[in-house]
Amino acid sequence: MTILHVSTAESWRGGEQQLANLIAANSDRCQNIVLCVAASAMENYCRLNNIQHFSFSKKWLGRFRAAANLSRLCSKLNISIVHCHDSHAHSMAITAAVFLRNKCPIVVHRRVDFPVGTGTFSRFKYRHPAIGAYICVSETIRKILVPSLKHPELAITIYSSIDLERFKQAAGSKVNLKQELKLPSTAKLIGNTAALAPHKDYTTFVKTAALLTRKHHDWYFVIIGEGAERVRIENEIASNQLENHIFMTGFREDVPQLLGSLDAFLMTSKTEGLGTSILGAFVAKVPVVATKAGGIPELVEEGQSGLLAEVGDAQGLANQMERVLTDHDLKACLVENASNKAKQFDSHIMALETYKTYEKVLQEFDLN
């Protein structure tokens, strides 16, 4: 079985990490080939890890030429399934199926927690018979997607995951982030690891920090990640006079090692497919406070594996953070339950379920 993974993202975010996890864990089961944007983070990853890949110019997206490139690869490499990892990839595969009669069945990964667009092409591409399965990264996303499908049974839930072994090994070689930030060892450090994107709602993160630092002068915050929102976030930090209490590290490759330095993890997202960065905190035994956005409650069960507040509710998040950092028994209970829950989200489980989906899709297309 040969899978052509199509990714059109230029930067490295959660979806790209999930694709990397999938390829690594399924390398013994099937041949994995990647079609990605030239000079993208995914192309660089494939080069560094000796993954067979092909690239295309970003300006080809949505155009016939990109679809023709995909179709040629399917024929030349005897591709079994085209696995689309984002919306643009999905469009490319449907264009190849319609205009170039590409016969490869399509699997679409759905990672966003908002409804399918109502445009003619959106409706068409989500109902096309070439699609054998929709893999949704949370049950929340599956429920949102189903009304847009002609055959709802094609939508299944396979949770996103992390490489548990990598995170466990990192726990033994953690980086002292408090020392790096020149904070006293007794300080409380609350952090997040995510791209600096609008849906992460760092405005609420800053507001939550402002509320907490007024009462707790030895509580500090760190934002680990990079993205287009950086300048805006820096301006908000400055306008709230929190430059000495909120730190921004930029992109870091040692996130698993950094997590152990945190006293708590704060996720303030407005929308979220699942929120896999939370899983790293679970493994590092860092208590989590998060919003109820998207699939997050499927990971963070209120009072069991973490604490929740409504989207945009800075005061609610601040209250929950105070609970978790002042009630030691509650904290111990949350991190123990979360650590056990993380075992369900290992990348090897995700990869096996995805491979079984490939097999089922091929069997059903053979029958037809």
Side-chain angles (χ1 to χ4, degrees), residues 16-46:
E16 291 65 57
Q17 184 60 59
Q18 291 306 306
L19 173 52
N21 290 348
L22 177 61
I23 290 172
N26 264 346
S27 59
D28 292 336
R29 296 190 183 102
C30 54
Q31 182 181 4
N32 295 282
I33 301 170
V34 175
L35 177 61
C36 58
V37 175
S40 64
M42 179 55 68
E43 184 179 43
N44 186 52
Y45 176 83
C46 290

mmCIF file of all heavy atoms in Angstrom, residues 16-46:
data_model
loop_
_atom_site.group_PDB
_atom_site.id
_atom_site.type_symbol
_atom_site.label_atom_id
_atom_site.label_comp_id
_atom_site.label_asym_id
_atom_site.label_seq_id
_atom_site.Cartn_x
_atom_site.Cartn_y
_atom_site.Cartn_z
ATOM 1 N N GLU A 16 0.847 19.591 10.763
ATOM 2 C CA GLU A 16 2.104 19.091 10.189
ATOM 3 C C GLU A 16 2.774 18.110 11.150
ATOM 4 O O GLU A 16 3.336 17.096 10.731
ATOM 5 C CB GLU A 16 3.031 20.261 9.862
ATOM 6 C CG GLU A 16 2.542 21.124 8.708
ATOM 7 C CD GLU A 16 1.241 21.845 9.010
ATOM 8 O OE1 GLU A 16 1.205 22.605 10.021
ATOM 9 O OE2 GLU A 16 0.265 21.636 8.250
ATOM 10 N N GLN A 17 2.679 18.409 12.446
ATOM 11 C CA GLN A 17 3.241 17.482 13.435
ATOM 12 C C GLN A 17 2.485 16.161 13.431
ATOM 13 O O GLN A 17 3.076 15.088 13.559
ATOM 14 C CB GLN A 17 3.196 18.104 14.834
ATOM 15 C CG GLN A 17 3.862 17.250 15.912
ATOM 16 C CD GLN A 17 5.329 16.987 15.627
ATOM 17 O OE1 GLN A 17 6.109 17.920 15.514
ATOM 18 N NE2 GLN A 17 5.710 15.723 15.509
ATOM 19 N N GLN A 18 1.164 16.237 13.255
ATOM 20 C CA GLN A 18 0.380 15.008 13.192
ATOM 21 C C GLN A 18 0.748 14.174 11.972
ATOM 22 O O GLN A 18 0.820 12.943 12.044
ATOM 23 C CB GLN A 18 -1.114 15.351 13.179
ATOM 24 C CG GLN A 18 -1.633 15.909 14.482
ATOM 25 C CD GLN A 18 -1.326 15.023 15.667
ATOM 26 O OE1 GLN A 18 -1.648 13.830 15.667
ATOM 27 N NE2 GLN A 18 -0.693 15.575 16.684
ATOM 28 N N LEU A 19 0.991 14.817 10.841
ATOM 29 C CA LEU A 19 1.423 14.102 9.643
ATOM 30 C C LEU A 19 2.768 13.436 9.890
ATOM 31 O O LEU A 19 2.977 12.274 9.514
ATOM 32 C CB LEU A 19 1.509 15.059 8.456
ATOM 33 C CG LEU A 19 2.114 14.518 7.157
ATOM 34 C CD1 LEU A 19 1.450 13.228 6.726
ATOM 35 C CD2 LEU A 19 2.021 15.570 6.057
ATOM 36 N N ALA A 20 3.686 14.144 10.531
ATOM 37 C CA ALA A 20 4.995 13.568 10.851
ATOM 38 C C ALA A 20 4.836 12.361 11.770
ATOM 39 O O ALA A 20 5.490 11.314 11.566
ATOM 40 C CB ALA A 20 5.886 14.631 11.498
ATOM 41 N N ASN A 21 3.977 12.472 12.777
ATOM 42 C CA ASN A 21 3.734 11.355 13.698
ATOM 43 C C ASN A 21 3.164 10.148 12.949
ATOM 44 O O ASN A 21 3.556 8.999 13.192
ATOM 45 C CB ASN A 21 2.750 11.760 14.792
ATOM 46 C CG ASN A 21 3.322 12.754 15.785
ATOM 47 O OD1 ASN A 21 4.527 12.997 15.815
ATOM 48 N ND2 ASN A 21 2.474 13.331 16.621
ATOM 49 N N LEU A 22 2.242 10.420 12.034
ATOM 50 C CA LEU A 22 1.576 9.352 11.281
ATOM 51 C C LEU A 22 2.572 8.600 10.409
ATOM 52 O O LEU A 22 2.591 7.358 10.392
ATOM 53 C CB LEU A 22 0.466 9.957 10.427
ATOM 54 C CG LEU A 22 -0.303 9.005 9.510
ATOM 55 C CD1 LEU A 22 -1.011 7.937 10.313
ATOM 56 C CD2 LEU A 22 -1.304 9.792 8.658
ATOM 57 N N ILE A 23 3.412 9.336 9.695
ATOM 58 C CA ILE A 23 4.395 8.695 8.819
ATOM 59 C C ILE A 23 5.373 7.865 9.627
ATOM 60 O O ILE A 23 5.693 6.720 9.266
ATOM 61 C CB ILE A 23 5.134 9.763 7.991
ATOM 62 C CG1 ILE A 23 4.183 10.372 6.958
ATOM 63 C CG2 ILE A 23 6.355 9.162 7.284
ATOM 64 C CD1 ILE A 23 4.767 11.559 6.217
ATOM 65 N N ALA A 24 5.860 8.405 10.727
ATOM 66 C CA ALA A 24 6.835 7.682 11.554
ATOM 67 C C ALA A 24 6.248 6.389 12.109
ATOM 68 O O ALA A 24 6.900 5.335 12.091
ATOM 69 C CB ALA A 24 7.309 8.580 12.698
ATOM 70 N N ALA A 25 5.018 6.455 12.593
ATOM 71 C CA ALA A 25 4.416 5.284 13.232
ATOM 72 C C ALA A 25 3.903 4.254 12.235
ATOM 73 O O ALA A 25 3.715 3.088 12.592
ATOM 74 C CB ALA A 25 3.285 5.729 14.156
ATOM 75 N N ASN A 26 3.661 4.661 10.991
ATOM 76 C CA ASN A 26 3.161 3.722 9.980
ATOM 77 C C ASN A 26 4.228 3.298 8.968
ATOM 78 O O ASN A 26 3.913 2.665 7.959
ATOM 79 C CB ASN A 26 1.982 4.336 9.212
ATOM 80 C CG ASN A 26 0.638 3.901 9.792
ATOM 81 O OD1 ASN A 26 0.573 2.966 10.584
ATOM 82 N ND2 ASN A 26 -0.430 4.574 9.390
ATOM 83 N N SER A 27 5.461 3.630 9.217
ATOM 84 C CA SER A 27 6.528 3.363 8.247
ATOM 85 C C SER A 27 6.701 1.873 7.945
ATOM 86 O O SER A 27 7.137 1.518 6.845
ATOM 87 C CB SER A 27 7.856 3.943 8.737
ATOM 88 O OG SER A 27 8.219 3.377 9.979
ATOM 89 N N ASP A 28 6.347 1.006 8.891
ATOM 90 C CA ASP A 28 6.484 -0.430 8.664
ATOM 91 C C ASP A 28 5.242 -1.047 8.023
ATOM 92 O O ASP A 28 5.279 -2.198 7.605
ATOM 93 C CB ASP A 28 6.759 -1.150 9.998
ATOM 94 C CG ASP A 28 8.124 -0.803 10.569
ATOM 95 O OD1 ASP A 28 9.011 -0.411 9.783
ATOM 96 O OD2 ASP A 28 8.296 -0.912 11.793
ATOM 97 N N ARG A 29 4.174 -0.285 7.934
ATOM 98 C CA ARG A 29 2.921 -0.826 7.405
ATOM 99 C C ARG A 29 2.674 -0.449 5.952
ATOM 100 O O ARG A 29 2.043 -1.195 5.218
ATOM 101 C CB ARG A 29 1.737 -0.320 8.253
ATOM 102 C CG ARG A 29 1.759 -0.789 9.694
ATOM 103 C CD ARG A 29 0.438 -0.451 10.378
ATOM 104 N NE ARG A 29 0.480 -0.842 11.774
ATOM 105 C CZ ARG A 29 0.678 -0.001 12.784
ATOM 106 N NH1 ARG A 29 0.837 1.304 12.534
ATOM 107 N NH2 ARG A 29 0.707 -0.433 14.017
ATOM 108 N N CYS A 30 3.120 0.741 5.569
ATOM 109 C CA CYS A 30 2.864 1.190 4.204
ATOM 110 C C CYS A 30 3.944 2.165 3.754
ATOM 111 O O CYS A 30 4.694 2.706 4.578
ATOM 112 C CB CYS A 30 1.490 1.850 4.102
ATOM 113 S SG CYS A 30 1.208 3.196 5.259
ATOM 114 N N GLN A 31 4.019 2.364 2.465
ATOM 115 C CA GLN A 31 4.960 3.343 1.932
ATOM 116 C C GLN A 31 4.293 4.708 1.967
ATOM 117 O O GLN A 31 3.170 4.886 1.504
ATOM 118 C CB GLN A 31 5.347 2.989 0.499
ATOM 119 C CG GLN A 31 6.377 3.944 -0.095
ATOM 120 C CD GLN A 31 6.746 3.602 -1.522
ATOM 121 O OE1 GLN A 31 6.181 2.682 -2.118
ATOM 122 N NE2 GLN A 31 7.700 4.325 -2.079
ATOM 123 N N ASN A 32 4.992 5.689 2.525
ATOM 124 C CA ASN A 32 4.448 7.030 2.664
ATOM 125 C C ASN A 32 5.244 8.019 1.815
ATOM 126 O O ASN A 32 6.461 8.122 1.954
ATOM 127 C CB ASN A 32 4.492 7.467 4.130
ATOM 128 C CG ASN A 32 3.601 6.629 5.018
ATOM 129 O OD1 ASN A 32 2.395 6.812 5.051
ATOM 130 N ND2 ASN A 32 4.201 5.680 5.745
ATOM 131 N N ILE A 33 4.538 8.728 0.951
ATOM 132 C CA ILE A 33 5.160 9.743 0.092
ATOM 133 C C ILE A 33 4.429 11.060 0.352
ATOM 134 O O ILE A 33 3.204 11.080 0.523
ATOM 135 C CB ILE A 33 5.053 9.353 -1.392
ATOM 136 C CG1 ILE A 33 5.738 7.995 -1.630
ATOM 137 C CG2 ILE A 33 5.665 10.427 -2.290
ATOM 138 C CD1 ILE A 33 5.483 7.402 -3.007
ATOM 139 N N VAL A 34 5.171 12.147 0.394
ATOM 140 C CA VAL A 34 4.578 13.451 0.711
ATOM 141 C C VAL A 34 4.635 14.375 -0.500
ATOM 142 O O VAL A 34 5.660 14.471 -1.175
ATOM 143 C CB VAL A 34 5.311 14.105 1.903
ATOM 144 C CG1 VAL A 34 4.775 15.517 2.167
ATOM 145 C CG2 VAL A 34 5.177 13.245 3.159
ATOM 146 N N LEU A 35 3.519 15.038 -0.764
ATOM 147 C CA LEU A 35 3.460 16.107 -1.765
ATOM 148 C C LEU A 35 3.197 17.397 -0.991
ATOM 149 O O LEU A 35 2.166 17.530 -0.327
ATOM 150 C CB LEU A 35 2.336 15.846 -2.766
ATOM 151 C CG LEU A 35 2.119 16.925 -3.838
ATOM 152 C CD1 LEU A 35 3.362 17.109 -4.697
ATOM 153 C CD2 LEU A 35 0.909 16.569 -4.704
ATOM 154 N N CYS A 36 4.146 18.328 -1.037
ATOM 155 C CA CYS A 36 4.048 19.522 -0.195
ATOM 156 C C CYS A 36 4.539 20.764 -0.941
ATOM 157 O O CYS A 36 5.040 20.674 -2.066
ATOM 158 C CB CYS A 36 4.847 19.338 1.092
ATOM 159 S SG CYS A 36 6.603 18.979 0.829
ATOM 160 N N VAL A 37 4.403 21.905 -0.307
ATOM 161 C CA VAL A 37 4.799 23.174 -0.907
ATOM 162 C C VAL A 37 6.323 23.310 -0.896
ATOM 163 O O VAL A 37 6.988 22.992 0.094
ATOM 164 C CB VAL A 37 4.172 24.350 -0.129
ATOM 165 C CG1 VAL A 37 4.658 25.690 -0.663
ATOM 166 C CG2 VAL A 37 2.654 24.272 -0.204
ATOM 167 N N ALA A 38 6.873 23.790 -1.999
ATOM 168 C CA ALA A 38 8.320 24.001 -2.093
ATOM 169 C C ALA A 38 8.776 25.001 -1.035
ATOM 170 O O ALA A 38 8.125 26.009 -0.782
ATOM 171 C CB ALA A 38 8.677 24.515 -3.485
ATOM 172 N N ALA A 39 9.907 24.680 -0.402
ATOM 173 C CA ALA A 39 10.519 25.534 0.622
ATOM 174 C C ALA A 39 9.668 25.661 1.880
ATOM 175 O O ALA A 39 9.897 26.556 2.694
ATOM 176 C CB ALA A 39 10.846 26.920 0.066
ATOM 177 N N SER A 40 8.715 24.767 2.063
ATOM 178 C CA SER A 40 7.884 24.779 3.268
ATOM 179 C C SER A 40 8.574 24.054 4.406
ATOM 180 O O SER A 40 9.573 23.344 4.210
ATOM 181 C CB SER A 40 6.541 24.105 2.995
ATOM 182 O OG SER A 40 6.745 22.726 2.688
ATOM 183 N N ALA A 41 8.037 24.211 5.603
ATOM 184 C CA ALA A 41 8.570 23.501 6.766
ATOM 185 C C ALA A 41 8.434 21.990 6.576
ATOM 186 O O ALA A 41 9.315 21.231 6.998
ATOM 187 C CB ALA A 41 7.839 23.948 8.032
ATOM 188 N N MET A 42 7.365 21.554 5.910
ATOM 189 C CA MET A 42 7.180 20.119 5.683
ATOM 190 C C MET A 42 8.227 19.577 4.721
ATOM 191 O O MET A 42 8.761 18.483 4.924
ATOM 192 C CB MET A 42 5.763 19.849 5.152
ATOM 193 C CG MET A 42 5.478 18.377 4.860
ATOM 194 S SD MET A 42 5.788 17.261 6.263
ATOM 195 C CE MET A 42 4.493 17.775 7.391
ATOM 196 N N GLU A 43 8.551 20.332 3.666
ATOM 197 C CA GLU A 43 9.584 19.876 2.747
ATOM 198 C C GLU A 43 10.922 19.767 3.465
ATOM 199 O O GLU A 43 11.663 18.792 3.276
ATOM 200 C CB GLU A 43 9.711 20.807 1.542
ATOM 201 C CG GLU A 43 10.742 20.275 0.530
ATOM 202 C CD GLU A 43 10.896 21.148 -0.692
ATOM 203 O OE1 GLU A 43 10.953 22.379 -0.543
ATOM 204 O OE2 GLU A 43 10.973 20.590 -1.804
ATOM 205 N N ASN A 44 11.217 20.740 4.305
ATOM 206 C CA ASN A 44 12.464 20.699 5.064
ATOM 207 C C ASN A 44 12.493 19.485 5.987
ATOM 208 O O ASN A 44 13.518 18.802 6.104
ATOM 209 C CB ASN A 44 12.621 21.979 5.882
ATOM 210 C CG ASN A 44 13.970 22.049 6.584
ATOM 211 O OD1 ASN A 44 15.011 21.891 5.968
ATOM 212 N ND2 ASN A 44 13.939 22.279 7.887
ATOM 213 N N TYR A 45 11.368 19.191 6.621
ATOM 214 C CA TYR A 45 11.285 18.021 7.502
ATOM 215 C C TYR A 45 11.522 16.734 6.716
ATOM 216 O O TYR A 45 12.247 15.834 7.169
ATOM 217 C CB TYR A 45 9.915 17.972 8.179
ATOM 218 C CG TYR A 45 9.699 16.744 9.022
ATOM 219 C CD1 TYR A 45 10.167 16.688 10.332
ATOM 220 C CD2 TYR A 45 9.049 15.623 8.505
ATOM 221 C CE1 TYR A 45 9.979 15.548 11.107
ATOM 222 C CE2 TYR A 45 8.858 14.480 9.268
ATOM 223 C CZ TYR A 45 9.319 14.449 10.569
ATOM 224 O OH TYR A 45 9.151 13.309 11.331
ATOM 225 N N CYS A 46 10.904 16.627 5.553
ATOM 226 C CA CYS A 46 11.081 15.428 4.725
ATOM 227 C C CYS A 46 12.540 15.247 4.314
ATOM 228 O O CYS A 46 13.064 14.125 4.332
ATOM 229 C CB CYS A 46 10.183 15.510 3.491
ATOM 230 S SG CYS A 46 8.419 15.344 3.834
#
